[in-house]
Amino acid sequence: MILSRISQAIRAQNWFAVAIEFVIVILGVVIGFQVNGWAERQDEDRRAAVYLDRLLSDLETNEMRFTTAYAFREQVRDLGMEALSYASGEAEAPSDWRVILAYFNASQAGGAEPVDATYREMLATGDLDLVRSVQLRGLLASYYTSTGFSEITDSLPAYRETVRGIIPIDLQTYIWENCWQSIVGRTQRLIDCDGPETTDPGRISALATTLIGHEQVNAELHFWVSNQYAALTIHQAQIDQTAEALSALRDLIGEIE
C-alpha cells in the first residue's frame, strides 16, 4: 500500500508526498524496533524474576543445610571428646550404654549437599547476565565454584571402621533406628537415647570396658576429633558465604520490586 503510494507520487513528481511516505516508513520501522525491544526487555525481566526467585530458594535451602551440618559436626565432636574423657579417666560415664553410644556416634561423618541446579542452568543457557548486579554475579561464581571442601567434610576416618568392627551389629542397628536421624541434603542429626531393654547388662558393660581401654580406638578417635575442627571451620565459611550471597540477592530483588 505504502509502496504503491510512493510509486504514484514519484510518477507525479510529488516529492513532498514521497518524503512524507518515507518518513512514515522510517517511523514505522523505528517504532517496530522499539516495540520489539520493549517486548524483549519485558521477557528478560520476567525470566530474571523467575531465576532470582529460584536462586533465593536455593540459597535459603543451603543456609538450612549448612547450619544443620554445622550442628551435626558439633555433636560428633562433642561425643568424641566425651568418649575420650571416659578413656582418660577425666570423667565418669553415667552408664555403660552412654559409653557405647558416644563411641559409635562419634564415628559419624558426612557433609551437606548444596543446591546448585538454578546456577548451573543459568550458566548452561547463558542467562547469568540476567542477574544485573556485577557484585552478585561475582559472589555466586565464588560461592558455587568452591572446591576441595568435600575432601574434608566427606572423609571417612580409620576410627569409623575400627570402632564399628568392635560394636556388635544388633547394637549398631538399634542406634541407627533410635539414636540417629537423616535429614534432606545428606545432613544428619544425632539423638540421645536409652539403650535396648532386651540386651544383657553384662554384655553392655563388657563392651563399654573394651572401648574405654582400646588403645587403637582411642588413638584414632583423637585424630577424628581434631578433624571436626576443620570441618566446622568449613561449614562456618559456607554459612557465612551463603548469608553474604543471600543479602546481596535480597537487595537486588528489593531494588527490582
Side-chain angles (χ1 to χ4, degrees):
M1 187 72 174
I2 292 177
L3 290 177
S4 176
R5 290 201 304 269
I6 291 175
S7 297
Q8 291 176 2
I10 291 174
R11 284 196 296 271
Q13 296 188 349
N14 187 348
W15 306 118
F16 178 75
V18 171
I20 292 296
E21 294 294 346
F22 270 116
V23 168
I24 292 173
V25 170
I26 292 171
L27 284 176
V29 172
V30 170
I31 292 172
F33 278 127
Q34 289 180 335
V35 170
N36 288 337
W38 177 83
E40 289 177 1
R41 287 192 296 273
Q42 289 293 103
D43 179 61
E44 287 182 352
D45 288 344
R46 284 192 294 269
R47 287 161 56 207
V50 171
Y51 275 129
L52 292 178
D53 186 61
R54 288 174 57 191
L55 282 171
L56 181 64
S57 177
D58 289 354
L59 289 173
E60 287 176 340
T61 298
N62 288 347
E63 185 176 48
M64 180 274 293
R65 290 186 178 185
F66 294 143
T67 302
T68 303
Y70 187 95
F72 165 71
R73 285 290 184 167
E74 281 191 312
Q75 286 185 295
V76 173
R77 179 200 61 190
D78 291 347
L79 286 169
M81 293 293 292
E82 179 183 334
L84 289 174
S85 73
Y86 299 150
S88 67
E90 295 177 8
E92 183 177 347
S95 68
D96 292 326
W97 172 252
R98 181 64 191 183
V99 172
I100 297 170
L101 184 61
Y103 271 93
F104 182 83
N105 270 341
S107 72
Q108 300 286 11
E113 188 72 32
V115 178
D116 61 359
T118 302
Y119 183 77
R120 290 186 179 279
E121 179 182 332
M122 295 179 76
L123 280 180
T125 58
D127 284 337
L128 194 58
D129 286 343
L130 292 176
V131 178
R132 296 189 174 95
S133 167
V134 175
Q135 177 200 12
L136 180 56
R137 289 204 302 270
L139 285 174
L140 292 173
S142 175
Y143 179 81
Y144 282 112
T145 56
S146 297
T147 59
F149 287 166
S150 61
E151 293 179 7
I152 295 176
T153 58
D154 291 351
S155 64
L156 300 178
Y159 169 73
R160 178 186 179 96
E161 183 175 345
T162 302
V163 77
R164 294 184 183 190
I166 295 172
I167 298 174
I169 290 298
D170 63 308
L171 296 182
Q172 293 189 44
T173 301
Y174 178 87
I175 293 172
W176 284 122
E177 294 177 350
N178 298 277
C179 318
W180 172 87
Q181 183 180 25
S182 175
I183 306 174
V184 66
R186 294 200 302 119
T187 53
Q188 310 167 64
R189 185 167 67 92
L190 304 179
I191 304 169
D192 192 11
C193 65
D194 295 327
E197 297 179 357
T198 57
T199 301
D200 177 15
R203 179 181 179 225
I204 296 295
S205 178
L207 178 58
T209 300
T210 296
L211 293 171
I212 288 174
H214 202 293
E215 290 186 8
Q216 180 182 350
V217 165
N218 290 296
E220 292 174 351
L221 181 53
H222 270 94
F223 169 81
W224 184 232
V225 168
S226 177
N227 181 274
Q228 300 315 304
Y229 288 91
L232 284 169
T233 300
I234 289 171
H235 287 317
Q236 186 60 60
Q238 290 171 322
I239 292 170
D240 293 342
Q241 288 178 342
T242 305
E244 185 179 10
L246 271 172
S247 178
L249 179 56
R250 286 168 177 152
D251 286 346
L252 179 60
I253 292 174
E255 292 173 5
I256 294 174
E257 293 176 347

